[in-house]
Amino acid sequence: MSAHDVTIYWRPGCGFCHTLRSVLGPDASKAQWRNIWEDPEAAEVVRGLNQGNEVVPTVVIDGKGYTNPDPGFVHETLLE
């Protein structure tokens, strides 16, 4: 488990989400993954962080939101 609280908001068919998951590899399990198409509360969080838009991946690390962050940054955070 990561020392950081990491939640990744995603949806099926999103190429950027797929890239993020691929870069994270087995470390992806250190984050909580929430599908915005199946979780209305998750979709609401994403809209709140992105001026009403459902932009994914949106990643929340220790309470701070990042829209489509660099996968390397997320991976490094998970490894800390």
Side-chain angles (χ1 to χ4, degrees):
M1 209 70 198
S2 174
H4 297 279
D5 181 21
V6 179
T7 303
I8 300 171
Y9 297 90
W10 70 286
R11 66 166 174 76
C14 168
F16 294 109
C17 300
H18 177 75
T19 298
L20 177 58
R21 190 179 290 268
S22 294
V23 169
L24 298 180
D27 295 315
S29 64
K30 295 179 180 179
Q32 179 184 15
W33 291 77
R34 295 182 67 184
N35 180 344
I36 66 166
W37 283 359
E38 294 180 353
D39 183 342
E41 290 177 6
E44 187 175 327
V45 169
V46 170
R47 288 191 301 270
L49 292 169
N50 295 292
Q51 295 76 45
N53 298 303
E54 292 185 351
V55 181
V56 290
T58 293
V59 180
V60 176
I61 300 171
D62 297 332
K64 183 175 181 187
Y66 300 88
T67 302
N68 197 15
D70 179 273
F73 165 70
V74 178
H75 195 211
E76 287 174 20
T77 301
L78 288 173
L79 295 177
E80 291 178 354

